[in-house]
Amino acid sequence: MKWKEPTFGATPMLKALTTANAHRKAKAFDLAAEQKKQKLNYPDWGQTWLRKYKEDWYIAQVNGDEVGMRKAQKLAEGLRSKLREMATFPKWAQEQMQKETVRWMTAEASGDIRERLAAEKAGQAIREKLGLIDTTEKAPPIDKEVKSNKSEVKEVPAVNESKQYVSVKQLEQLGWIKISKAMITDLNNCLERYNITTPARIRHFISQCSHESAGGRYTKEIASGKKYEGRKDLGNIYKGDGPKYKGGGYIQLTGRHNYQKLSTALNDPRVMEGVEYVAEHYPWTSAGFWWEQHNMNALCDKGATVRQITKKVNGGYNGLKDREMYYKKCENIFK
């Protein structure tokens, strides 16, 4: 019989020690410095949850669990975002939103999707009472694009799988990186939803997004977004709205007002969590939403040049040569 070197896994005692050490570090976490850094006041219940997320993060770090670390960090960021929003509410709304926020965090931690969605819906109802998402005073409904044959444009519901207009290989030919199945699904859903389905429309849309994202390298604006702070023309009326609603997606949807429009159009209240959520889940769809809002398909149908399309997208001609380079490639790929 061969001798085998004994191995030692994560024993119950080791797990207990890891948890105890993480609890100690979370308890010793300098909350005062955190509040000063974030310019945010944590109520007692918020402090409890932040320490819990810190504890989860420390445990994940010791175990080399990068997914667990990212999850804990994301939940802590979500807590900060909700506290900043609540700080602008009157007292009655703060009390109600606190209840739904704790409910949401408990459901998120336990993986109870149904309860989480119920909490999000209740939170949305509170915002409606406050008039934060009252669309009656928004801009008039967006006119649907009038196709050259004047046929009716159909509203395409959100779907998980669409006809494939663009493939992984085609994006690779353009020099794109970070191409995932989820990204390709979002792209083809976007093209179908916003009727970007003719060669001319696809060429212009993909070439502009290619330039704006540096070939898929960026799904959000690189700058901090502080320059948008207080921009009432973008709907940024609350403290922190600038960074929270900075450019998200491949054509960088910007501002609370535009995020709210996208949230309403997709029936997804989580869009209002801000740029991180949009960049992760709707990089293409947010770009397609902007494209439709600005009636870009009709412009493509008229035979617009890259220069004319760039003027609409950029407001000027920044990166025109790069956009033209991408368009030439698209001409050879999308026929």
Side-chain angles (χ1 to χ4, degrees):
M1 185 174 180
K2 270 191 169 183
W3 166 259
K4 288 186 178 180
E5 191 70 29
T7 57
F8 301 93
T11 64
M13 181 173 286
L14 183 58
K15 287 182 178 179
L17 287 171
T18 300
T19 301
N21 188 47
H23 181 72
R24 178 184 59 78
K25 290 173 74 175
K27 193 173 181 181
F29 176 68
D30 191 345
L31 195 61
E34 159 75 8
Q35 292 184 118
K36 185 177 181 181
K37 177 184 176 182
Q38 298 294 336
K39 297 180 180 179
L40 187 64
N41 182 40
Y42 288 88
D44 290 343
W45 63 270
Q47 294 180 25
T48 300
W49 277 96
L50 183 65
R51 292 190 191 282
K52 179 188 180 305
Y53 294 147
K54 284 292 179 183
E55 185 174 327
D56 292 345
W57 189 89
Y58 289 133
I59 292 173
Q61 183 190 41
V62 170
N63 293 326
D65 180 5
E66 292 186 4
V67 174
M69 290 168 66
R70 285 197 297 270
K71 181 180 178 182
Q73 187 175 6
K74 186 176 180 181
L75 288 170
E77 289 171 354
L79 171 62
R80 295 184 190 104
S81 175
K82 290 179 184 296
L83 287 174
R84 286 193 176 94
E85 181 185 38
M86 289 168 60
T88 66
F89 289 0
K91 188 175 180 181
W92 68 266
Q94 286 185 11
E95 291 172 354
Q96 291 185 23
M97 188 60 84
Q98 174 189 332
K99 177 183 174 183
E100 298 307 329
T101 299
V102 171
R103 181 184 175 192
W104 182 89
M105 291 187 297
T106 303
E108 184 72 16
S110 65
D112 189 338
I113 297 175
R114 182 176 294 181
E115 187 69 7
R116 189 195 73 193
L117 292 174
E120 287 174 357
K121 187 175 181 181
Q124 186 176 18
I126 295 169
R127 294 184 186 94
E128 287 175 346
K129 284 183 183 179
L130 291 170
L132 295 182
I133 54 175
D134 181 7
T135 56
T136 57
E137 61 180 17
K138 305 292 184 186
I142 304 160
D143 292 333
K144 293 292 181 184
E145 168 230 341
V146 180
K147 296 170 72 176
S148 55
N149 60 6
K150 298 191 177 183
S151 60
E152 182 183 353
V153 178
K154 295 181 180 179
E155 187 82 10
V156 182
V159 290
N160 292 326
E161 296 293 339
S162 298
K163 174 182 174 181
Q164 190 172 67
Y165 298 97
V166 177
S167 67
V168 172
K169 185 178 179 180
Q170 287 172 321
L171 283 185
E172 287 175 342
Q173 287 176 311
L174 279 171
W176 274 66
I177 62 171
K178 300 181 181 179
I179 306 171
S180 65
K181 183 179 178 181
M183 189 262 262
I184 283 292
T185 298
D186 182 43
L187 168 56
N188 286 291
N189 285 348
C190 162
L191 297 177
E192 188 168 301
R193 175 187 286 271
Y194 299 113
N195 208 24
I196 308 171
T197 53
T198 68
R201 296 175 186 181
I202 291 174
R203 290 169 191 163
H204 279 299
F205 180 67
I206 297 293
S207 61
Q208 291 292 326
C209 288
S210 294
H211 170 78
E212 293 289 338
S213 68
R217 288 167 176 80
Y218 306 108
T219 56
K220 61 184 178 183
E221 186 176 356
I222 300 172
S224 68
K226 289 182 179 179
K227 64 182 179 181
Y228 303 124
E229 194 72 0
R231 285 276 301 276
K232 293 183 179 180
D233 58 315
L234 294 172
N236 293 342
I237 57 176
Y238 299 105
K239 187 177 180 180
D241 276 356
K244 184 176 182 179
Y245 299 116
K246 70 177 185 177
Y250 292 134
I251 297 189
Q252 299 187 3
L253 190 75
T254 306
R256 173 185 279 273
H257 178 57
N258 290 316
Y259 274 69
Q260 185 59 69
K261 282 184 177 180
L262 179 64
S263 175
T264 302
L266 300 178
N267 193 27
D268 184 354
R270 293 197 66 187
V271 167
M272 297 311 292
E273 290 178 15
V275 63
E276 300 297 335
Y277 183 80
V278 169
E280 180 180 354
H281 296 280
Y282 299 119
W284 286 109
T285 295
S286 59
F289 178 73
W290 182 94
W291 195 264
E292 183 194 52
Q293 278 195 310
H294 292 80
N295 207 23
M296 299 299 291
N297 282 340
L299 190 58
C300 294
D301 293 345
K302 292 176 182 177
T305 64
V306 176
R307 184 180 179 85
Q308 289 171 319
I309 296 290
T310 298
K311 176 67 175 176
K312 286 280 285 185
V313 172
N314 177 252
Y317 303 104
N318 290 338
L320 180 59
K321 287 186 177 180
D322 192 53
R323 297 172 202 264
E324 289 175 333
M325 177 273 291
Y326 276 117
Y327 186 80
K328 284 185 183 298
K329 286 187 177 182
C330 286
E331 282 186 309
N332 294 324
I333 296 170
F334 305 111
K335 298 179 180 179

